[in-house]
Amino acid sequence: MSGFFARRPPDRPGLAVFLNAGDPPLPVLADVMRMLDDCRVDCLELAVPFPNSVTDGPVIRRSAQRALADGVGLDEVLDFLAGVLPGLRHLRVALLADWSHTVRAPTVPGFVRRVADAGVHGLLVHGLPPRLRADCLDAVRAAGLPLVATCYAASSPEVRAAAAECATAYLYLVAHYGRSGGGLTADHRELAAALAALRTRTTAPIAVGFGVRSRADIDLLHGLGADAAVVGSAGVARIEHALAEGADVVEEFHTFIQTVSPYSPSRQEAHR
């Protein structure tokens, strides 16, 4: 199994969390990432911030706007990651970059090489036009960079098969159509059927996201056949609350992680 979730005990689901780079500010984010590493969170899906995402609800959109207002872009994110990633022991980072806002300006091979050189463990390209998928695949293979592929539970069998074939980091199965920030409203039978069908076409781990807000949600998804779950808006909202209240962002987010993680030792235990 991919290194993103291979260190998880086999009877427990993996955990990925989503954040926008720059929200919280990058120096604080470095401490958040070290905390996630101590707590053995498997994956941080870290977005290069971009505006007006059509798939995100207001919580993640506000987060991206705060980061953009602070001047955080691709250069700042890659420089930041190059400094932080060598110190991590468990946490893996999948960089999410939007095609229109972040990737389209440089050549695809040049962009992918920059991401790989920063030490990132995987790449997810948001909004990649289907006609350019082959070029992107060629570039990530040449760079030796694992790819996160995405599809919906309700996608056609052909779309799911294409995503399964592309995924080398993990396959992100979006539980339902709509925008992020709601609850886990997906039909459980449809989700289980999609997971079973994907399992026959890929050896990459399958992580389910959109609407995952609690440990109960994560356990439910694991029971349906998911290897891992992705927690997004619920965690970003805790960051937003901490920033608004002037609270300790790292401690606030640590408390949140303790409530959702299937396996989250204290930071002191993690160092034993």
Side-chain angles (χ1 to χ4, degrees):
M1 183 177 286
S2 163
F4 275 87
F5 303 105
R7 300 181 184 187
R8 174 70 54 192
D11 60 334
R12 293 179 179 176
L15 176 63
V17 297
F18 169 91
L19 290 174
N20 276 299
D23 186 57
L26 294 178
V28 181
L29 179 60
D31 291 334
V32 168
M33 291 173 65
R34 285 186 279 267
M35 177 274 291
L36 295 175
D37 190 49
D38 287 346
C39 290
R40 300 179 195 173
V41 171
D42 301 290
C43 173
L44 172 62
E45 191 177 287
L46 187 67
V48 180
F50 63 99
N52 305 319
S53 170
V54 297
T55 58
D56 287 321
V59 170
I60 291 179
R61 283 187 169 204
R62 289 195 300 268
S63 169
Q65 290 296 345
R66 287 192 294 272
L68 290 167
D70 278 347
V72 176
L74 180 63
D75 292 344
E76 291 77 15
V77 174
L78 294 182
D79 287 346
F80 166 77
L81 288 173
V84 174
L85 292 178
L88 303 179
R89 299 171 301 161
H90 183 93
L91 183 71
R92 297 292 179 264
V93 174
L95 188 72
L96 186 157
D98 180 68
W99 170 260
S100 296
H101 187 263
T102 306
V103 183
R104 186 168 57 180
T107 65
V108 171
F111 165 78
V112 170
R113 173 49 58 190
R114 290 183 66 195
V115 172
D117 288 347
V120 172
H121 305 105
L123 175 65
L124 192 168
V125 180
H126 177 271
L128 177 68
R131 62 185 174 80
L132 299 175
R133 185 176 292 124
D135 290 344
C136 185
L137 285 173
D138 289 343
V140 296
R141 286 169 182 157
L145 183 63
L147 184 70
V148 181
T150 63
C151 63
Y152 286 86
S155 294
S156 69
E158 293 77 16
V159 169
R160 291 202 305 252
E165 182 180 353
C166 294
T168 50
Y170 58 93
L171 197 160
Y172 186 161
L173 180 63
V174 183
H176 54 82
Y177 290 118
R179 289 184 174 179
S180 62
L184 188 59
T185 59
D187 181 277
H188 295 173
R189 288 175 297 180
E190 180 181 64
L191 201 50
L195 285 161
L198 289 166
R199 188 73 62 199
T200 67
R201 292 184 170 273
T202 184
T203 58
I206 305 171
V208 178
F210 261 53
V212 183
R213 308 183 68 84
S214 67
R215 188 176 299 183
D217 289 338
I218 296 170
D219 290 341
L220 169 66
L221 294 173
H222 190 230
L224 294 177
D227 296 301
V230 184
V231 177
S233 296
V236 174
R238 291 293 288 267
I239 296 286
E240 182 174 55
H241 179 265
L243 291 171
E245 297 296 319
D248 187 312
V249 172
V250 179
E251 288 305 316
E252 283 281 322
F253 203 61
H254 177 251
T255 299
F256 172 74
I257 292 298
Q258 293 286 85
T259 67
V260 299
S261 176
Y263 178 67
S264 186
S266 70
R267 300 184 73 181
Q268 292 75 20
E269 290 173 332
H271 286 293
R272 290 177 185 171

